[in-house]
C-alpha cells in the first residue's frame, strides 16, 4: 500500500496534464480531503466523508447524500400533473406518481384554494405494498388559499434505496358548496 505522500502530483499522457492530484485541508474539518483538479486548476471532484463532482464554476452538480443513502444531487423529480378542481366530500386521489427511491428525502410542495363559505383539505400519502401512510400534515383551506411545504425522511416514508412506492395526493371538500382547486408545485427526491 502506498503512503499518501507517494501519490503522483500529476497524471500525464503524451506531454499533456490530464489531472493534478493534491490533498488540501478541508474547511471546517480536521481531515484531509483529496481533490481532483482540472488542468485550469478548478476543482472537478472531491472525496472526503462524501464525494461530489463540480462544474467549472465550483457548483456541486452530482454527489452522494451526506447523512443517509443515495444521491444528494441532482434532486430527481417525481412527475405530477397540473391543477385540478374538485367538489367531492370524501377523500379522492387526484394525483398519483410512482417513485423509485434514489434520494433519501421527499420534498413536497402543494397548495389549495377554497372560495367563500367553503373548506377543503389535501394530504400526501405513500403506498408501499398496498399499505398507505400519510406524509406530513393535512392541509386545510377555508375561504382562502393555503400552501404546504414539507420533507419526509426515510423514517417517515419507509423506503430503502431503489425501492418503489406510489405517491398519492388526495383531496376532499369538508364544508360549503364551492369548487376547490389544488396545485402541485413539485414533489422531488432530495438529499437529507
Amino acid at each position: 500500500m502506498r503512503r499518501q505522500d507517494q501519490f503522483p502530483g500529476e497524471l500525464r499522457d503524451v506531454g499533456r496534464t490530464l489531472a493534478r492530484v493534491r490533498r488540501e485541508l478541508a474547511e471546517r474539518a480536521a481531515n484531509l480531503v483529496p481533490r481532483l483538479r482540472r488542468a485550469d486548476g478548478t476543482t472537478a471532484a472531491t472525496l472526503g466523508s462524501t464525494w461530489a463532482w463540480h462544474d467549472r464554476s465550483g457548483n456541486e452538480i452530482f454527489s452522494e447524500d451526506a447523512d443517509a443513502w443515495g444521491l444528494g444531487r441532482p434532486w430527481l423529480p417525481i412527475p405530477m400533473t397540473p391543477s385540478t378542481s374538485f367538489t367531492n366530500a370524501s377523500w379522492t386521489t387526484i394525483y398519483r406518481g410512482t417513485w423509485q427511491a434514489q434520494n433519501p428525502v421527499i420534498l413536497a410542495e402543494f397548495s389549495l384554494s377554497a372560495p367563500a363559505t367553503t373548506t377543503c383539505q389535501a394530504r400526501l400519502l405513500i403506498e408501499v405494498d398496498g399499505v398507505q401512510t400519510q406524509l406530513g400534515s393535512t392541509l386545510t383551506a377555508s375561504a382562502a388559499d393555503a400552501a404546504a411545504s414539507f420533507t419526509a425522511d426515510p423514517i417517515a416514508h419507509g423506503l430503502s434505496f431503489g425501492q418503489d412506492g406510489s405517491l398519492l395526493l388526495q383531496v376532499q371538500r369538508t364544508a360549503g358548496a364551492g369548487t376547490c382547486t389544488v396545485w402541485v408545485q413539485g414533489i422531488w427526491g432530495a438529499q437529507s
Side-chain angles (χ1 to χ4, degrees), residues 134-152:
Q134 184 169 335
L135 302 175
S137 300
T138 299
L139 176 65
T140 301
S142 186
D145 295 340
S149 179
F150 63 88
T151 59

Side-chain angles (χ1 to χ4, degrees), residues 60-72:
E60 182 181 290
I61 56 172
F62 193 80
S63 66
E64 70 176 328
D65 189 80
D67 296 323
W69 44 259
L71 293 173

Side-chain angles (χ1 to χ4, degrees), residues 25-166:
L25 188 60
E27 298 172 18
R28 303 181 302 190
N31 63 333
L32 294 176
V33 176
R35 294 180 186 266
L36 181 61
R37 295 197 178 270
R38 295 179 186 85
D40 65 5
T42 60
T43 299
T46 56
L47 177 62
S49 57
T50 63
W51 57 263
W53 293 347
H54 303 269
D55 66 13
R56 292 189 180 276
S57 298
N59 299 310
E60 182 181 290
I61 56 172
F62 193 80
S63 66
E64 70 176 328
D65 189 80
D67 296 323
W69 44 259
L71 293 173
R73 291 206 184 272
W75 291 6
L76 303 176
I78 301 167
M80 294 287 195
T81 56
S83 65
T84 300
S85 298
F86 63 95
T87 58
N88 39 308
S90 60
W91 286 115
T92 303
T93 299
I94 296 287
Y95 301 114
R96 183 181 190 103
T98 300
W99 181 49
Q100 184 183 52
Q102 299 293 311
N103 306 92
V105 172
I106 294 171
L107 169 61
E109 294 182 357
F110 53 92
S111 58
L112 284 173
S113 181
T117 70
T118 303
T119 301
C120 58
Q121 295 182 315
R123 65 183 181 183
L124 184 67
L125 300 125
I126 188 160
E127 183 178 338
V128 180
D129 299 326
V131 177
Q132 293 181 353
T133 304
Q134 184 169 335
L135 302 175
S137 300
T138 299
L139 176 65
T140 301
S142 186
D145 295 340
S149 179
F150 63 88
T151 59
D153 64 17
I155 294 169
H157 62 66
L159 295 181
S160 300
F161 179 80
Q163 188 177 6
D164 290 341
S166 293

